[in-house]
Amino acid sequence: MSVVERLSAEAAIGKVMYEYAAACDTGYHGDVVASLFEADGEWVSSRGFHLRGRAEIAAHITMSGLERFAWAAHHLSNGAVEFTAPGQATGKWLLLQHSRMRKDDLFTVAHGSYLVGFRCSTSGWKIRKLYLRVDSILEVNATRYGTAL
């Protein structure tokens, strides 16, 4: 892989992760998130979720916006992409997520990381498997502090 091909692929993979975060941060658009995965792609979380296929992923992400999160802001940093074979890569990102929960009037700050497998096809880079590891969640009752977050 030439330097130009590598940089182009890294930018395309970064764009997939940007689109993933943006789809969550603008209302948890499950259909958009699912479109970033291969047809039989997997979304796995250390919080006990294991979703397979675009339909399951779309339903879970949409539910998260309708039932769990009033809003969220995903901050991804320290991204690193490694090409493991022609047309295949893995990426790692740190996650800091601020969010407002629909129930209990809680504001949360979560810390964790993403480990993501990608594959390139004729339709571009898609997620094969996304693993979200949540290391900690800080919950603050917004009403207690008199703040409308």
Tab-separated table of all heavy atoms in Angstrom, residues 108-130:
chain	number	residue	atom	x	y	z
A	108	THR	N	-24.676	12.382	32.433
A	108	THR	CA	-23.639	11.375	32.590
A	108	THR	C	-22.389	11.729	31.804
A	108	THR	O	-22.456	12.399	30.770
A	108	THR	CB	-24.116	9.976	32.140
A	108	THR	OG1	-24.402	10.012	30.747
A	108	THR	CG2	-25.347	9.543	32.899
A	109	VAL	N	-21.288	11.271	32.323
A	109	VAL	CA	-20.014	11.339	31.618
A	109	VAL	C	-19.456	9.916	31.617
A	109	VAL	O	-19.247	9.322	32.680
A	109	VAL	CB	-19.010	12.292	32.303
A	109	VAL	CG1	-17.696	12.313	31.537
A	109	VAL	CG2	-19.594	13.693	32.421
A	110	ALA	N	-19.282	9.371	30.429
A	110	ALA	CA	-18.759	8.013	30.296
A	110	ALA	C	-17.376	8.062	29.660
A	110	ALA	O	-17.102	8.903	28.803
A	110	ALA	CB	-19.694	7.160	29.448
A	111	HIS	N	-16.543	7.138	30.087
A	111	HIS	CA	-15.197	7.020	29.551
A	111	HIS	C	-15.001	5.586	29.096
A	111	HIS	O	-15.410	4.646	29.784
A	111	HIS	CB	-14.170	7.375	30.632
A	111	HIS	CG	-12.779	7.020	30.239
A	111	HIS	ND1	-12.168	5.862	30.654
A	111	HIS	CD2	-11.889	7.663	29.451
A	111	HIS	CE1	-10.951	5.816	30.143
A	111	HIS	NE2	-10.752	6.888	29.420
A	112	GLY	N	-14.396	5.415	27.941
A	112	GLY	CA	-14.132	4.068	27.453
A	112	GLY	C	-13.338	4.109	26.173
A	112	GLY	O	-12.578	5.052	25.920
A	113	SER	N	-13.542	3.092	25.344
A	113	SER	CA	-12.812	3.024	24.084
A	113	SER	C	-13.579	2.192	23.070
A	113	SER	O	-14.458	1.398	23.419
A	113	SER	CB	-11.419	2.428	24.298
A	113	SER	OG	-11.526	1.113	24.817
A	114	TYR	N	-13.243	2.415	21.825
A	114	TYR	CA	-13.759	1.621	20.713
A	114	TYR	C	-12.616	0.831	20.109
A	114	TYR	O	-11.531	1.367	19.884
A	114	TYR	CB	-14.327	2.525	19.606
A	114	TYR	CG	-15.654	3.159	19.911
A	114	TYR	CD1	-15.741	4.506	20.228
A	114	TYR	CD2	-16.830	2.415	19.839
A	114	TYR	CE1	-16.962	5.104	20.477
A	114	TYR	CE2	-18.058	3.008	20.095
A	114	TYR	CZ	-18.114	4.348	20.409
A	114	TYR	OH	-19.333	4.940	20.655
A	115	LEU	N	-12.865	-0.429	19.823
A	115	LEU	CA	-11.994	-1.257	19.011
A	115	LEU	C	-12.855	-1.714	17.843
A	115	LEU	O	-13.897	-2.347	18.053
A	115	LEU	CB	-11.461	-2.458	19.796
A	115	LEU	CG	-10.588	-3.437	19.006
A	115	LEU	CD1	-9.350	-2.739	18.439
A	115	LEU	CD2	-10.186	-4.610	19.889
A	116	VAL	N	-12.439	-1.363	16.637
A	116	VAL	CA	-13.308	-1.546	15.482
A	116	VAL	C	-12.556	-2.250	14.351
A	116	VAL	O	-11.438	-1.856	14.005
A	116	VAL	CB	-13.832	-0.180	14.959
A	116	VAL	CG1	-14.867	-0.384	13.865
A	116	VAL	CG2	-14.403	0.647	16.107
A	117	GLY	N	-13.187	-3.275	13.801
A	117	GLY	CA	-12.669	-3.952	12.615
A	117	GLY	C	-13.374	-3.421	11.387
A	117	GLY	O	-14.604	-3.265	11.393
A	118	PHE	N	-12.619	-3.137	10.344
A	118	PHE	CA	-13.157	-2.586	9.102
A	118	PHE	C	-12.784	-3.476	7.926
A	118	PHE	O	-11.758	-4.149	7.940
A	118	PHE	CB	-12.556	-1.196	8.826
A	118	PHE	CG	-12.902	-0.152	9.836
A	118	PHE	CD1	-12.089	0.054	10.943
A	118	PHE	CD2	-14.033	0.635	9.690
A	118	PHE	CE1	-12.389	1.026	11.885
A	118	PHE	CE2	-14.340	1.607	10.617
A	118	PHE	CZ	-13.519	1.806	11.720
A	119	ARG	N	-13.620	-3.412	6.896
A	119	ARG	CA	-13.319	-4.079	5.628
A	119	ARG	C	-13.718	-3.138	4.505
A	119	ARG	O	-14.754	-2.466	4.584
A	119	ARG	CB	-14.075	-5.401	5.513
A	119	ARG	CG	-13.615	-6.223	4.337
A	119	ARG	CD	-14.297	-7.577	4.161
A	119	ARG	NE	-15.126	-8.035	5.256
A	119	ARG	CZ	-14.879	-9.118	5.989
A	119	ARG	NH1	-13.801	-9.839	5.778
A	119	ARG	NH2	-15.712	-9.496	6.943
A	120	CYS	N	-12.907	-3.103	3.471
A	120	CYS	CA	-13.192	-2.262	2.316
A	120	CYS	C	-13.818	-3.106	1.210
A	120	CYS	O	-13.343	-4.201	0.903
A	120	CYS	CB	-11.908	-1.599	1.803
A	120	CYS	SG	-12.223	-0.334	0.554
A	121	SER	N	-14.900	-2.581	0.652
A	121	SER	CA	-15.565	-3.256	-0.468
A	121	SER	C	-15.796	-2.213	-1.564
A	121	SER	O	-15.323	-1.087	-1.471
A	121	SER	CB	-16.899	-3.855	-0.013
A	121	SER	OG	-17.805	-2.815	0.318
A	122	THR	N	-16.539	-2.590	-2.557
A	122	THR	CA	-16.832	-1.643	-3.640
A	122	THR	C	-17.627	-0.440	-3.147
A	122	THR	O	-17.603	0.611	-3.771
A	122	THR	CB	-17.608	-2.339	-4.778
A	122	THR	OG1	-18.790	-2.932	-4.228
A	122	THR	CG2	-16.753	-3.400	-5.445
A	123	SER	N	-18.310	-0.574	-2.004
A	123	SER	CA	-19.076	0.548	-1.446
A	123	SER	C	-18.280	1.338	-0.408
A	123	SER	O	-18.832	2.178	0.289
A	123	SER	CB	-20.387	0.043	-0.842
A	123	SER	OG	-20.119	-0.874	0.192
A	124	GLY	N	-16.981	1.052	-0.277
A	124	GLY	CA	-16.136	1.781	0.650
A	124	GLY	C	-15.893	1.008	1.931
A	124	GLY	O	-16.216	-0.174	2.047
A	125	TRP	N	-15.326	1.676	2.919
A	125	TRP	CA	-15.004	1.052	4.199
A	125	TRP	C	-16.261	0.899	5.043
A	125	TRP	O	-17.038	1.836	5.181
A	125	TRP	CB	-13.965	1.881	4.951
A	125	TRP	CG	-12.607	1.783	4.340
A	125	TRP	CD1	-12.066	2.629	3.409
A	125	TRP	CD2	-11.638	0.777	4.588
A	125	TRP	NE1	-10.812	2.204	3.068
A	125	TRP	CE2	-10.520	1.067	3.784
A	125	TRP	CE3	-11.593	-0.343	5.411
A	125	TRP	CZ2	-9.376	0.279	3.783
A	125	TRP	CZ3	-10.451	-1.133	5.407
A	125	TRP	CH2	-9.360	-0.823	4.604
A	126	LYS	N	-16.456	-0.294	5.562
A	126	LYS	CA	-17.592	-0.605	6.434
A	126	LYS	C	-17.078	-1.249	7.717
A	126	LYS	O	-16.016	-1.879	7.746
A	126	LYS	CB	-18.574	-1.573	5.755
A	126	LYS	CG	-19.233	-1.032	4.502
A	126	LYS	CD	-20.264	0.004	4.828
A	126	LYS	CE	-20.998	0.452	3.581
A	126	LYS	NZ	-21.898	1.556	3.840
A	127	ILE	N	-17.865	-1.132	8.765
A	127	ILE	CA	-17.530	-1.737	10.048
A	127	ILE	C	-17.926	-3.212	10.026
A	127	ILE	O	-19.074	-3.546	9.736
A	127	ILE	CB	-18.254	-1.016	11.197
A	127	ILE	CG1	-17.819	0.459	11.266
A	127	ILE	CG2	-17.991	-1.729	12.525
A	127	ILE	CD1	-18.655	1.308	12.211
A	128	ARG	N	-16.965	-4.083	10.316
A	128	ARG	CA	-17.242	-5.519	10.466
A	128	ARG	C	-17.716	-5.799	11.881
A	128	ARG	O	-18.693	-6.498	12.100
A	128	ARG	CB	-15.990	-6.368	10.210
A	128	ARG	CG	-15.607	-6.509	8.768
A	128	ARG	CD	-14.431	-7.464	8.557
A	128	ARG	NE	-13.243	-7.074	9.321
A	128	ARG	CZ	-12.726	-7.770	10.330
A	128	ARG	NH1	-13.269	-8.882	10.733
A	128	ARG	NH2	-11.645	-7.351	10.960
A	129	LYS	N	-16.952	-5.258	12.850
A	129	LYS	CA	-17.297	-5.470	14.248
A	129	LYS	C	-16.826	-4.271	15.048
A	129	LYS	O	-15.674	-3.865	14.944
A	129	LYS	CB	-16.658	-6.739	14.794
A	129	LYS	CG	-17.067	-7.072	16.223
A	129	LYS	CD	-16.529	-8.422	16.648
A	129	LYS	CE	-17.036	-8.825	18.016
A	129	LYS	NZ	-16.569	-10.173	18.379
A	130	LEU	N	-17.736	-3.724	15.844
A	130	LEU	CA	-17.417	-2.609	16.723
A	130	LEU	C	-17.571	-3.098	18.148
A	130	LEU	O	-18.610	-3.660	18.500
A	130	LEU	CB	-18.357	-1.437	16.456
A	130	LEU	CG	-18.159	-0.187	17.319
A	130	LEU	CD1	-18.469	1.059	16.485
A	130	LEU	CD2	-19.017	-0.211	18.556
